[in-house]
mmCIF file with all atom_site columns, all heavy atoms in Angstrom:
data_model
loop_
_atom_site.group_PDB
_atom_site.id
_atom_site.type_symbol
_atom_site.label_atom_id
_atom_site.label_alt_id
_atom_site.label_comp_id
_atom_site.label_asym_id
_atom_site.label_entity_id
_atom_site.label_seq_id
_atom_site.pdbx_PDB_ins_code
_atom_site.Cartn_x
_atom_site.Cartn_y
_atom_site.Cartn_z
_atom_site.occupancy
_atom_site.B_iso_or_equiv
_atom_site.pdbx_formal_charge
_atom_site.auth_seq_id
_atom_site.auth_comp_id
_atom_site.auth_asym_id
_atom_site.auth_atom_id
_atom_site.pdbx_PDB_model_num
ATOM 1  N N   . VAL A 1 161 ? 5.087  13.050 2.712  1.00 96.00 ? 458 VAL A N   1
ATOM 2  C CA  . VAL A 1 161 ? 6.354  12.393 2.400  1.00 96.00 ? 458 VAL A CA  1
ATOM 3  C C   . VAL A 1 161 ? 7.373  13.470 2.055  1.00 96.00 ? 458 VAL A C   1
ATOM 4  O O   . VAL A 1 161 ? 7.048  14.459 1.395  1.00 96.00 ? 458 VAL A O   1
ATOM 5  C CB  . VAL A 1 161 ? 6.177  11.373 1.253  1.00 96.00 ? 458 VAL A CB  1
ATOM 6  C CG1 . VAL A 1 161 ? 5.694  12.057 -0.014 1.00 96.00 ? 458 VAL A CG1 1
ATOM 7  C CG2 . VAL A 1 161 ? 7.445  10.595 1.008  1.00 96.00 ? 458 VAL A CG2 1
ATOM 8  N N   . ILE A 1 199 ? 5.249  6.744  -5.216 1.00 98.00 ? 496 ILE A N   1
ATOM 9  C CA  . ILE A 1 199 ? 6.416  7.614  -5.343 1.00 98.00 ? 496 ILE A CA  1
ATOM 10 C C   . ILE A 1 199 ? 7.520  6.848  -6.052 1.00 98.00 ? 496 ILE A C   1
ATOM 11 O O   . ILE A 1 199 ? 7.601  5.621  -5.969 1.00 98.00 ? 496 ILE A O   1
ATOM 12 C CB  . ILE A 1 199 ? 6.920  8.126  -3.975 1.00 98.00 ? 496 ILE A CB  1
ATOM 13 C CG1 . ILE A 1 199 ? 7.345  6.951  -3.081 1.00 98.00 ? 496 ILE A CG1 1
ATOM 14 C CG2 . ILE A 1 199 ? 5.856  8.955  -3.290 1.00 98.00 ? 496 ILE A CG2 1
ATOM 15 C CD1 . ILE A 1 199 ? 7.980  7.401  -1.772 1.00 98.00 ? 496 ILE A CD1 1
ATOM 16 N N   . GLY A 1 244 ? 9.278  -0.225 2.108  1.00 93.00 ? 541 GLY A N   1
ATOM 17 C CA  . GLY A 1 244 ? 10.110 0.819  1.531  1.00 93.00 ? 541 GLY A CA  1
ATOM 18 C C   . GLY A 1 244 ? 9.471  2.182  1.467  1.00 93.00 ? 541 GLY A C   1
ATOM 19 O O   . GLY A 1 244 ? 10.133 3.182  1.186  1.00 93.00 ? 541 GLY A O   1
ATOM 20 N N   . TRP A 1 245 ? 8.144  2.241  1.722  1.00 94.00 ? 542 TRP A N   1
ATOM 21 C CA  . TRP A 1 245 ? 7.510  3.575  1.772  1.00 94.00 ? 542 TRP A CA  1
ATOM 22 C C   . TRP A 1 245 ? 8.159  4.368  2.904  1.00 94.00 ? 542 TRP A C   1
ATOM 23 O O   . TRP A 1 245 ? 8.313  3.853  4.018  1.00 94.00 ? 542 TRP A O   1
ATOM 24 C CB  . TRP A 1 245 ? 6.000  3.458  2.015  1.00 94.00 ? 542 TRP A CB  1
ATOM 25 C CG  . TRP A 1 245 ? 5.334  4.790  2.083  1.00 94.00 ? 542 TRP A CG  1
ATOM 26 C CD1 . TRP A 1 245 ? 5.152  5.562  3.205  1.00 94.00 ? 542 TRP A CD1 1
ATOM 27 C CD2 . TRP A 1 245 ? 4.771  5.543  0.996  1.00 94.00 ? 542 TRP A CD2 1
ATOM 28 N NE1 . TRP A 1 245 ? 4.530  6.746  2.878  1.00 94.00 ? 542 TRP A NE1 1
ATOM 29 C CE2 . TRP A 1 245 ? 4.281  6.763  1.537  1.00 94.00 ? 542 TRP A CE2 1
ATOM 30 C CE3 . TRP A 1 245 ? 4.652  5.304  -0.368 1.00 94.00 ? 542 TRP A CE3 1
ATOM 31 C CZ2 . TRP A 1 245 ? 3.667  7.728  0.746  1.00 94.00 ? 542 TRP A CZ2 1
ATOM 32 C CZ3 . TRP A 1 245 ? 4.033  6.273  -1.152 1.00 94.00 ? 542 TRP A CZ3 1
ATOM 33 C CH2 . TRP A 1 245 ? 3.553  7.465  -0.607 1.00 94.00 ? 542 TRP A CH2 1
ATOM 34 N N   . PRO A 1 246 ? 8.561  5.609  2.671  1.00 90.00 ? 543 PRO A N   1
ATOM 35 C CA  . PRO A 1 246 ? 9.283  6.375  3.699  1.00 90.00 ? 543 PRO A CA  1
ATOM 36 C C   . PRO A 1 246 ? 8.468  6.501  4.990  1.00 90.00 ? 543 PRO A C   1
ATOM 37 O O   . PRO A 1 246 ? 7.279  6.738  4.953  1.00 90.00 ? 543 PRO A O   1
ATOM 38 C CB  . PRO A 1 246 ? 9.494  7.742  3.056  1.00 90.00 ? 543 PRO A CB  1
ATOM 39 C CG  . PRO A 1 246 ? 9.382  7.492  1.588  1.00 90.00 ? 543 PRO A CG  1
ATOM 40 C CD  . PRO A 1 246 ? 8.404  6.368  1.434  1.00 90.00 ? 543 PRO A CD  1
ATOM 41 N N   . GLY A 1 247 ? 9.147  6.331  6.108  1.00 73.00 ? 544 GLY A N   1
ATOM 42 C CA  . GLY A 1 247 ? 8.488  6.453  7.402  1.00 73.00 ? 544 GLY A CA  1
ATOM 43 C C   . GLY A 1 247 ? 8.172  7.893  7.710  1.00 73.00 ? 544 GLY A C   1
ATOM 44 O O   . GLY A 1 247 ? 8.711  8.807  7.116  1.00 73.00 ? 544 GLY A O   1
#
Side-chain angles (χ1 to χ4, degrees):
V458 61
I496 61 174
W542 179 271

